[in-house]
Amino acid sequence: MKKLLLLFIVLTLNSIQAQEIKTLTYFQNDTLKLDLDLYLPKKKAGEKIPLIMFAFGGGFSGGERTSEKNFGLFMAKNGYAVASISYSLYMKGKDFGCKGTLTEKIKAIQIGVSDMWQATAFLIENADKYNLDTSKIFISGISAGAEIGFHASFWDYKLMNLYKKISQKTLNTKVSLEAQERFRILI
């Protein structure tokens, strides 16, 4: 039994080390720095990697991008790149529940969505560096992160984006219209 347990531990540690994890800053200004953890599968020569954008949960008031590390490792082991993003926690110290203010809730979501768009644009601009397939970008999230993913897919970018640094042209020139439509359907 001890040999079987030892073999399991060795194989688990080996599979965890098989993937590459990079922490990258995707947005920074005078008051805010946002990072993402990019989980990459073992490199396959010449093969582009599908990308999963992931946002953690926490009611827009807590949580962190490293909370679902096992998800990133699992998906990387299965051939996907995962970008687990940090995003602005606008509701920290505020009520997001039933007694919360609707306009504050919408603003929290809008900020999170703008952060998701910023992270996505950063990875599209750096797709060649990380061998990412910009025609296969998916969004995943838990709780508040799922709300970010949903709204990032369906909100009007021109109307709702808070950061002027990203242009719709950047997203459109690197991602085909077919891929954008697939992106929206998968959410």
Side-chain angles (χ1 to χ4, degrees), residues 168-186:
Q168 185 68 37
K169 183 180 177 191
T170 299
L171 295 175
N172 286 342
T173 56
K174 298 253 182 169
V175 182
S176 70
L177 291 175
E178 177 186 340
Q180 289 179 46
E181 188 58 32
R182 258 186 297 175
F183 181 72
R184 290 179 185 274
I185 290 170
L186 289 170

Side-chain angles (χ1 to χ4, degrees), residues 42-154:
K42 285 183 179 178
K43 293 186 179 182
K44 297 177 185 174
E47 189 176 325
K48 295 285 187 183
I49 306 165
L51 173 64
I52 300 171
M53 301 297 297
F54 180 83
F56 60 87
F60 299 96
S61 64
E64 55 188 52
R65 72 179 185 278
T66 58
S67 64
E68 298 298 325
K69 185 175 184 176
N70 289 337
F71 173 74
L73 292 171
F74 176 81
M75 295 309 292
K77 185 178 176 184
N78 287 282
Y80 293 85
V82 175
S84 183
I85 70 164
S86 57
Y87 58 89
S88 304
L89 300 177
Y90 179 76
M91 294 303 289
K92 194 169 196 154
K94 300 176 184 177
D95 184 7
F96 195 77
C98 296
K99 295 179 183 177
T101 308
L102 179 60
T103 54
E104 290 289 292
K105 292 178 182 182
I106 292 170
K107 187 170 184 176
I109 296 169
Q110 185 181 17
I111 291 169
V113 167
S114 291
D115 292 345
M116 175 65 80
W117 285 333
Q118 191 77 24
T120 304
F122 172 82
L123 289 171
I124 289 170
E125 290 168 3
N126 291 282
D128 291 337
K129 184 175 183 180
Y130 301 108
N131 206 31
L132 302 173
D133 186 344
T134 59
S135 72
K136 295 178 182 171
I137 298 175
F138 308 92
I139 291 184
S140 178
I142 294 175
S143 190
E147 288 191 55
I148 289 171
F150 177 81
H151 288 91
S153 298
F154 291 102

